[in-house]
């Protein structure tokens, strides 16, 4: 019989391996946008562009280690490349991002 401890450890590792990546974008006006996913995000246009982004938080997972911010929609004009963790990006308008 499988012990409860073994079952819980197995469950914990399955959860970790299947964990999503998470991003949080904080704006100068206090607004925040969050998103998450499991595989590459593809190019995502920001739904909020009326304020500068000042901080990004990126929690990566097994499929991802990079977050890119772009000055234009459609992931054109690469502006900033961030790794996992919290980054103080240049306070500017960003119009799209990609996680991969
Ligand atoms: C993002 O915006 C660009 C330019 O307006 C557009 O071509 C593209 O389809 C948009 N991407 C998504 C995922 O909506």
């Amino acid at each position: 019989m499988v012990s409860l401890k073994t079952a819980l450890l197995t469950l914990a590792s399955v959860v970790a391996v299947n964990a999503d990546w998470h991003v949080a974008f904080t704006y100068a006006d206090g607004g925040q946008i969050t998103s998450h996913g499991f595989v590459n995000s593809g190019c995502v246009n920001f739904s909020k562009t009326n304020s500068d982004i000042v901080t990004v938080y990126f929690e990566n997972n097994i499929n991802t280690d990079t977050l890119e911010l772009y000055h234009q929609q459609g992931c054109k004009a690469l502006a900033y490349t961030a790794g996992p963790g919290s980054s103080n990006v240049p306070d500017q308008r960003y119009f799209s991002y990609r996680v991969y």
Side-chain angles (χ1 to χ4, degrees), residues 4 8 38 40 46 66 72 78 80 82 90 100:
L4 179 61
L8 288 176
F38 184 60
N40 298 355
F46 280 109
T66 307
Q72 294 173 23
L78 177 63
Y80 193 87
Y100 64 92

Side-chain angles (χ1 to χ4, degrees), residues 2-19:
V2 179
S3 75
L4 179 61
K5 188 177 171 187
T6 305
L8 288 176
L9 285 174
T10 303
L11 182 63
S13 61
V14 168
V15 168
V17 165
N18 290 303

Side-chain angles (χ1 to χ4, degrees), residues 43 45 73-74:
C43 184
N45 294 327
Q73 287 196 329

Side-chain angles (χ1 to χ4, degrees), residues 43-45 72-76 95-96:
C43 184
V44 182
N45 294 327
Q72 294 173 23
Q73 287 196 329
C75 291
K76 292 185 192 133
F95 290 87
S96 59

Side-chain angles (χ1 to χ4, degrees), residues 28-94:
D29 69 2
Q32 192 174 64
I33 285 188
T34 62
S35 186
H36 63 97
F38 184 60
V39 297
N40 298 355
S41 66
C43 184
V44 182
N45 294 327
F46 280 109
S47 55
K48 173 177 169 64
T49 57
N50 62 350
S51 178
D52 289 355
I53 290 176
V54 296
T55 309
V56 303
Y57 175 71
F58 173 39
E59 190 181 311
N60 70 311
N61 70 352
I62 57 166
N63 295 313
T64 61
D65 63 7
T66 307
L67 165 65
E68 287 178 345
L69 295 176
Y70 297 85
H71 281 310
Q72 294 173 23
Q73 287 196 329
C75 291
K76 292 185 192 133
L78 177 63
Y80 193 87
T81 304
S86 193
S87 305
N88 292 313
V89 301
D91 296 6
Q92 290 176 344
R93 304 286 165 104
Y94 299 95

